[in-house]
Amino acid sequence: MIIRQLVLFLLWTKSSWCAQKPSGQKPLGVTPQPSPIETSKLHGKFLHITDIHPDRFYSVGSSTDSDGACHWGEGSAGLFGAENTDCDAPITLVNATFQWINDNLKDSIDFVVWTGDSARHDNDELIPRTEEQVLDLNSLLVDKFVEVFGKDDNINDTDPTNDFTIPIVPNFGNNDILPHNIFTQGPNRWTKAFSHVWRKFIPEEQRHAFERGGWFFVEVIPNKLAVFSLNTLYFYNSNVAVDGCADKSEPGYEQFEWLRIQLQFLRQRGMKALLMGHVPPARTESKRSWDETCWQKYTLWLQQYRDVIVGGLYGHMNIDHFMLQDSEQIEMRILTGDVKLAKKPLRSNDFSVQSLAHYLTELRYGWSRLPDEVKVKSIEAADGISLVTSQKSKRPRRKSKYEKFLDSIGGEWGERYSATLVGASVVPNYYPTMRVFEYNTTGVGSVFLDGQTYQEYLPSADSDELEDYAKPSTSRKHRSGKPKPPSKSQPPGPAYSPQTFSLLSYTQYLANLTRINAAFASPGASPTPKFTYELEYDTKNDTTYGLSDLTMRSYIDLATRIGKYKPEQTDILHGAWDGCEDDLSVTKNKKKDKKKKHHKKKKHHKHRKAINKLWFTFVDRAYVGAKDDDELRDQFGYVED
């Protein structure tokens, strides 16, 4: 068994761990210090950009309907894109976006998370996509990153991973391959092709792992913080070339084993990890993006490595939102494949307006069932029960309502749950958008500029401690390859308790193409039109969301408030009526007609209900502010002018 574990370990991690240790390398747990050369001060911010979908065939003034695809006919396709359509992004939008990043973000961020879909959709039968086009468009975006973040003094440097002023971490999208969605077990032609296209981003010692399955990680802050680029196409329900994550022959299973071992090493090194991918783990009644065995395993990994993982960032769905994973929904029989689940039929249009509206409504319904926090100033005040057991009675003290609430969410830090943050797209299905996160840099003032060698400091292949890391826990409880949890003495991780690398806030930017295209279409406009991204909202100063930070308790509170069909006074949208069928069906058994004589003058309000303004803010932001009130009325309820 020991030999088998060791062989599997070496096979999965050949490039990362089979290299000879450099002479003088210190034992695991003691991090060698780089040479004392130039350092760079951390800004405590990073960029998340996703779903750019550049299209070289985009034609200004063409038709935006499905037949025209902004390639043919006459219509309203604007200079910088056609907002609220299914058209892809013109190269003018790509150029303007990167120019804005250069002018406004370049010198204030520490790294870039780029979560895929960097080629156009296959939405025009007259111009079918080719492999050359897909690789060309991805290469185009690599060149744009070089223009903005490339080093000026890098002419004679032969190391391709040392070409940038900051780390940039790319990721496979379901449209970055051909045919879209279908990604076979690696190595395959796509992992080999992208190992060249992305050679500037993938650390040398990660190349084999990448060619093996399209996954890798980058130490964006050497020896402190790593970003893991997960190949979510192996988890994706629409990828019919693979079959989940339970069977050891599946690449999804292999990827999770690779992730488990890497996270175990990071735990030992005292490092933290940020997970990123393209397809998020959406899981509602109508929309399940991942195979259930992959969702189960992912949720378990998040739970067991909650002391290491900072959070998860994804794209793909084109809407700005978040989702929660509940560790109490983990079923080991499903995770291990002992129970087989029937796969749901694939849908041709997973992102239609109707489909997304239904999905968001289902998210809200799920949040309406979250444990509701008891509003007390302290545990001592809850129920008026003393924390000290009565001296006259040996019976244990009854738990207060607040204590029961804490138990229901996994303790003081909400460790029952984990959060996934989904960024909206640059491609203007709504308005082009991007997000800048702020994170805690306490105790991490600067980073060595030569840190992009990303040398891993691991045990040698013949050491005893290698065996200890390669194998999962062998106790009866963890017999199915269940990762080891954090020690009981370990404090909560950065996703739960504010600390170094915890996410503090994010700023959402959008480009209002309705105004921008109109300005550029007006001849002789004064002042001269300018393309720009503007502030949509900043969670640091946003009184509607009211997020003090981005830790788990903040998101549990936000989700609970969004889920209230009978909102608190501070969350009521005044002057509104709710015609949302879901609201009515959920609340019809809870709300009784309380007619009283002294209310006779208000009879005309008997169908009026308090509207949760937080819910309408959430859906408005999901669509990046591109939907008008009429559309929101139709989809989510009635809002008075």
Side-chain angles (χ1 to χ4, degrees):
M1 185 64 180
I2 293 176
I3 295 175
R4 178 174 172 273
Q5 288 283 355
L6 184 59
V7 169
L8 286 173
F9 171 77
L10 293 173
L11 175 64
W12 287 326
T13 56
K14 178 179 178 183
S15 69
S16 299
W17 304 330
C18 288
Q20 294 294 319
K21 281 197 302 183
S23 60
Q25 180 173 308
K26 298 180 181 180
L28 182 70
V30 180
T31 303
Q33 294 299 316
S35 302
I37 61 172
E38 184 183 359
T39 62
S40 174
K41 181 177 175 58
L42 290 173
H43 303 284
K45 294 181 180 180
F46 67 88
L47 170 65
H48 179 203
I49 190 168
T50 191
D51 293 81
I52 301 176
H53 288 291
D55 183 1
R56 293 190 186 276
F57 298 101
Y58 183 97
S59 177
V60 177
S62 60
S63 172
T64 61
D65 62 25
S66 57
D67 293 329
C70 289
H71 296 161
W72 315 101
E74 295 184 3
S76 58
L79 176 62
F80 292 101
E83 70 276 18
N84 287 313
T85 72
D86 291 330
C87 293
D88 286 321
I91 304 304
T92 50
L93 175 60
V94 175
N95 291 337
T97 295
F98 278 88
Q99 185 62 53
W100 188 87
I101 293 173
N102 182 80
D103 296 342
N104 295 275
L105 302 179
K106 175 182 178 180
D107 299 322
S108 61
I109 58 176
D110 300 324
F111 56 93
V112 177
V113 170
W114 170 25
T115 49
D117 262 11
S118 305
R120 72 180 180 93
H121 291 91
D122 202 2
N123 56 2
D124 188 342
E125 294 180 355
L126 298 177
I127 314 176
R129 296 197 315 164
T130 66
E131 183 172 333
E132 291 73 19
Q133 288 177 15
V134 170
L135 296 176
D136 167 66
L137 291 171
N138 272 273
S139 297
L140 167 68
L141 294 187
V142 171
D143 291 342
K144 302 309 294 185
F145 277 111
V146 171
E147 288 177 15
V148 177
F149 298 106
K151 289 184 177 179
D152 296 330
D153 56 350
N154 205 44
I155 298 175
N156 298 318
D157 189 344
T158 58
D159 179 9
T161 63
N162 194 34
D163 289 353
F164 296 94
T165 57
I166 60 173
I168 297 163
V169 190
N171 187 258
F172 274 118
N174 62 307
N175 286 287
D176 294 325
I177 54 176
L178 202 68
H180 77 288
N181 299 338
I182 308 303
F183 202 98
T184 60
Q185 187 164 12
N188 57 44
R189 75 183 195 272
W190 294 108
T191 60
K192 292 177 181 178
F194 274 89
S195 68
H196 176 74
V197 174
W198 291 343
R199 66 190 181 280
K200 297 177 184 292
F201 307 123
I202 304 171
E204 182 62 36
E205 62 273 14
Q206 299 277 333
R207 295 286 174 83
H208 178 81
F210 179 81
E211 290 191 11
R212 174 79 179 165
W215 54 73
F216 69 103
F217 73 88
V218 175
E219 291 189 24
V220 293
I221 302 177
N223 306 313
K224 300 291 184 181
L225 177 66
V227 173
F228 281 76
S229 181
L230 303 179
N231 185 355
T232 56
L233 302 186
Y234 285 143
F235 311 151
Y236 192 24
N237 256 334
S238 296
N239 183 7
V240 296
V242 296
D243 188 19
C245 300
D247 195 303
K248 292 183 179 181
S249 65
E250 289 295 327
Y253 178 96
E254 183 177 339
Q255 182 171 191
F256 272 112
E257 283 301 285
W258 167 83
L259 180 62
R260 175 182 65 79
I261 294 171
Q262 296 287 7
L263 291 175
Q264 187 68 25
F265 273 114
L266 262 60
R267 175 182 281 166
Q268 174 65 19
R269 295 174 61 191
M271 291 183 61
K272 304 303 178 187
L274 187 63
L275 307 184
M276 61 172 278
H278 181 65
V279 181
R283 185 176 181 263
T284 66
E285 181 63 29
S286 67
K287 188 181 296 295
R288 300 203 174 201
S289 297
W290 287 14
D291 181 274
E292 181 65 12
T293 60
C294 301
W295 185 93
Q296 292 275 337
K297 191 164 284 191
Y298 180 73
T299 303
L300 177 62
W301 264 231
L302 291 176
Q303 176 68 196
Q304 300 299 86
Y305 291 110
R306 61 189 182 275
D307 57 321
V308 177
I309 296 172
V310 175
L313 308 178
Y314 295 83
H316 179 63
M317 299 183 73
N318 301 327
I319 55 174
D320 168 4
H321 68 297
F322 68 95
M323 57 190 72
L324 303 181
Q325 290 79 45
D326 183 355
S327 64
E328 288 196 359
Q329 294 180 7
I330 296 171
E331 297 185 46
M332 294 302 294
R333 295 182 306 160
I334 297 176
L335 185 150
T336 57
D338 293 339
V339 174
K340 300 291 185 182
L341 300 177
K343 289 187 177 291
K344 291 195 172 186
L346 303 179
R347 299 187 178 191
S348 58
N349 188 357
D350 210 25
F351 300 129
S352 66
V353 172
Q354 183 178 3
S355 173
L356 287 177
H358 193 50
Y359 164 71
L360 291 173
T361 302
E362 287 181 336
L363 273 183
R364 186 192 186 195
Y365 176 71
W367 294 341
S368 74
R369 303 168 70 87
L370 289 170
D372 197 2
E373 182 172 356
V374 180
K375 301 297 182 183
V376 293
K377 294 182 179 179
S378 66
I379 294 179
E380 289 88 345
D383 284 354
I385 299 174
S386 170
L387 290 178
V388 182
T389 303
S390 172
Q391 296 293 330
K392 296 181 180 180
S393 174
K394 294 183 179 181
R395 289 181 303 173
R397 173 183 62 83
R398 285 192 301 115
K399 283 189 175 182
S400 70
K401 289 183 179 179
Y402 187 70
E403 289 172 300
K404 290 178 181 178
F405 162 72
L406 291 181
D407 287 346
S408 71
I409 64 170
E412 180 182 357
W413 308 104
E415 292 178 285
R416 168 181 167 180
Y417 298 96
S418 54
T420 292
L421 310 184
V422 184
S425 57
V426 171
V427 67
N429 289 132
Y430 307 108
Y431 284 144
T433 186
M434 67 182 76
R435 178 177 291 181
V436 174
F437 283 92
E438 182 179 4
Y439 66 99
N440 191 323
T441 57
T442 301
V444 189
S446 60
V447 57
F448 285 95
L449 292 183
D450 70 342
Q452 290 198 27
T453 55
Y454 305 108
Q455 177 61 49
E456 295 180 71
Y457 299 99
L458 305 173
S460 60
D462 58 353
S463 75
D464 292 335
E465 59 181 338
L466 177 67
E467 177 187 323
D468 293 335
Y469 275 85
K471 63 185 180 182
S473 173
T474 55
S475 68
R476 177 176 296 182
K477 186 176 181 180
H478 301 140
R479 189 172 290 169
S480 301
K482 188 175 182 179
K484 298 176 183 178
S487 67
K488 293 183 179 179
S489 61
Q490 189 76 17
Y496 299 91
S497 171
Q499 59 190 263
T500 304
F501 299 128
S502 292
L503 300 181
L504 300 175
S505 65
Y506 65 81
T507 304
Q508 196 73 33
Y509 296 98
L510 65 82
N512 188 322
L513 292 191
T514 305
R515 287 204 307 261
I516 294 172
N517 283 332
F520 276 86
S522 302
S526 180
T528 304
K530 181 180 180 181
F531 179 94
T532 187
Y533 280 82
E534 61 190 68
L535 174 68
E536 183 187 7
Y537 67 99
D538 183 347
T539 61
K540 184 187 296 185
N541 306 312
D542 177 36
T543 57
T544 305
Y545 274 9
L547 292 169
S548 59
D549 55 30
L550 304 183
T551 57
M552 198 63 247
R553 284 295 297 273
S554 294
Y555 272 108
I556 292 174
D557 177 69
L558 177 61
T560 302
R561 289 167 54 217
I562 292 174
K564 285 185 181 297
Y565 294 97
K566 184 178 180 181
E568 297 176 7
Q569 188 65 30
T570 54
D571 289 333
I572 290 177
L573 181 63
H574 295 286
W577 284 262
D578 193 353
C580 180
E581 229 174 79
D582 292 287
D583 278 18
L584 291 171
S585 62
V586 170
T587 59
K588 65 182 179 181
N589 294 324
K590 298 180 181 179
K591 302 194 77 174
K592 304 295 183 180
D593 185 13
K594 299 180 179 179
K595 295 181 180 179
K596 294 184 180 180
K597 292 182 179 180
H598 59 278
H599 285 163
K600 283 184 177 179
K601 293 182 179 180
K602 296 185 178 181
K603 278 188 176 180
H604 60 287
H605 285 166
K606 67 180 181 179
H607 296 299
R608 186 170 182 172
K609 287 200 309 179
I611 301 303
N612 189 334
K613 71 176 179 183
L614 188 57
W615 163 238
F616 279 95
T617 300
F618 174 73
V619 296
D620 180 53
R621 290 175 176 177
Y623 296 115
V624 202
K627 296 290 185 183
D628 60 29
D629 286 348
D630 288 339
E631 291 173 288
L632 292 179
R633 289 184 189 118
D634 292 341
Q635 294 173 31
F636 302 104
Y638 184 88
V639 182
E640 186 183 27
D641 289 325

